[in-house]
């Protein structure tokens, strides 16, 4: 049933041995292996549903009776860089070939079943979002978002391992109201300054001044292309705000607001 995975009983006089099995149930208090024999069972190098082993912690299933379940298999995940460029890709691998002591069990000549599926989230950043184990490994390709941060997670049964990945903030951003409606990730070429090159909507190129100011690193520089920007811009960082043309780059407050800028100039240099 859902609360008991394996039951061993009867007059058996030969000590059973089991290894490289996935033993798990999501039911509360589930028993992974119940040994009702008069002899002990060797159940080393199995996966009990989480990295904590068969003691029942962390969502793992437990054992009952005389069972040697130490060492047990754990899931390790390759380290991603904590800071990354927008849309940068990296391999993300789940490895279930080591025990909790860091010893490689490949030399035993067996692996977890290849029917075991490992999930990866967020789905939008993973390709594929799940993978079957092959030789104890499951793999996906992680793609960083255009901007911001994301928790890249690997999930198997009750074990979830996440890594916070942050897209590096640009030191220069641009604002151009001609870019309204362009999708994040679209490449654009600002007119100012000359030779600015290609830049990415949602990362260092925006259609409002506020978004460009919010995205830039501290200290940083925001260039504003010619146009009329009806907004009240709040600045809370050290920033150089440079317009393309004094006569044609206009930042105008909403009619209901007295100022077009709100700053903390007493603390930050603008």
């Amino acid at each position: 049933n859902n609360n008991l995975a394996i039951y061993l009983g009867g007059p058996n006089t030969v000590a059973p041995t089991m290894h490289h099995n996935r033993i798990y149930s999501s039911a509360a208090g589930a028993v992974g292996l119940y040994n009702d024999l008069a002899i002990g069972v060797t159940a080393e190098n199995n996966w009990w549903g989480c990295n904590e082993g068969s003691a029942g912690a962390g969502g793992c299933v437990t054992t009952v009776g005389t069972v040697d379940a130490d060492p047990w298999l754990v899931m390790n995940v390759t380290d991603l860089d904590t800071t990354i460029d927008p849309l940068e890709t990296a391999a993300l691998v789940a490895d279930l070939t080591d025990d909790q002591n860091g010893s490689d069990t490949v030399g035993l000549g067996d692996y977890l079943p290849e029917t075991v599926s490992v999930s990866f989230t967020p789905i939008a950043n993973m390709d594929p979002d799940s993978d079957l184990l092959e030789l104890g490994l499951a793999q996906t390709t992680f793609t960083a978002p255009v901007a911001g941060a994301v928790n890249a997670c690997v999930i198997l049964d009750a074990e979830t391992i996440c890594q916070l990945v942050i897209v590096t903030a640009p030191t220069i951003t641009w604002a151009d109201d001609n870019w309204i409606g362009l999708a994040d990730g679209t490449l654009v070429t600002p007119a100012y300054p000359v030779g600015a090159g290609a830049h990415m909507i949602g990362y260092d190129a925006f259609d409002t001044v506020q978004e460009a100011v919010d995205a830039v690193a501290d200290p940083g520089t925001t260039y504003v292309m010619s146009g009329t920007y009806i907004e009240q811009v709040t600045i809370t960082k050290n920033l150089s705000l440079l317009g393309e043309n004094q006569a044609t780059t206009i930042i105008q407050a909403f009619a209901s607001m007295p100022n077009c800028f709100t700053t903390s100039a007493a603390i930050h240099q603008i």
Side-chain angles (χ1 to χ4, degrees):
N1 58 43
N2 290 332
N3 292 307
L4 176 58
I6 301 171
Y7 174 81
L8 298 175
N12 194 1
T13 58
V14 178
T17 299
M18 51 188 295
H19 61 88
H20 289 90
N21 297 280
R22 176 199 185 192
I23 306 169
Y24 176 66
S25 170
S26 60
V31 175
L33 174 58
Y34 193 114
N35 180 22
D36 204 17
L37 298 172
I39 54 177
V41 175
T42 301
E44 298 178 353
N45 296 309
N46 292 287
W47 169 257
W48 301 95
C50 72
N51 281 354
E52 282 69 28
S54 63
C60 287
V61 295
T62 61
T63 62
V64 174
T66 305
V67 178
D68 176 12
D70 186 353
W72 60 86
L73 295 178
V74 297
M75 181 170 69
N76 295 307
V77 176
T78 52
D79 291 332
L80 297 172
D81 291 336
T82 54
T83 56
I84 196 169
D85 291 332
L87 301 183
E88 183 177 341
T89 61
L92 183 58
V93 180
D95 185 338
L96 285 109
T97 61
D98 291 349
D99 66 26
Q100 84 277 15
N101 301 313
S103 297
D104 190 348
T105 68
V106 171
L108 299 176
D110 213 342
Y111 305 90
L112 284 179
E114 295 187 351
T115 56
V116 174
S117 179
V118 177
S119 299
F120 303 93
T121 63
I123 293 175
N125 301 93
M126 304 294 183
D127 186 22
D129 58 29
S130 66
D131 190 36
L132 296 177
L133 288 179
E134 183 175 355
L135 302 181
L137 306 176
Q139 180 169 328
T140 189
T141 298
F142 167 76
T143 300
V146 170
V150 64
N151 269 309
C153 299
V154 181
I155 305 166
L156 176 59
D157 298 332
E159 188 67 35
T160 298
I161 300 174
C162 295
Q163 302 177 65
L164 181 63
V165 180
I166 302 172
V167 176
T168 305
T171 57
I172 303 174
T173 59
W174 283 262
D176 191 333
D177 58 3
N178 289 317
W179 297 334
I180 293 175
L182 296 182
D184 285 355
T186 303
L187 295 179
V188 294
T189 302
Y192 173 74
V194 175
H199 297 275
M200 187 180 295
I201 295 294
Y203 174 64
D204 58 359
F206 302 89
D207 57 33
T208 70
V209 178
Q210 186 66 70
E211 288 176 303
V213 167
D214 289 345
V216 76
D218 183 359
T221 299
T222 293
Y223 292 106
V224 183
M225 303 299 100
S226 293
T228 300
Y229 302 83
I230 309 299
E231 52 184 302
Q232 185 178 47
V233 181
T234 299
I235 301 174
T236 59
K237 62 184 66 174
N238 301 303
L239 176 71
S240 295
L241 187 64
L242 306 175
E244 179 182 2
N245 185 291
Q246 184 175 0
T248 58
T249 302
I250 301 168
I251 302 175
Q252 179 179 322
F254 295 104
S256 60
M257 296 180 177
N259 302 306
C260 59
F261 288 100
T262 301
T263 72
S264 53
I267 301 174
H268 301 286
Q269 296 296 315
I270 301 172

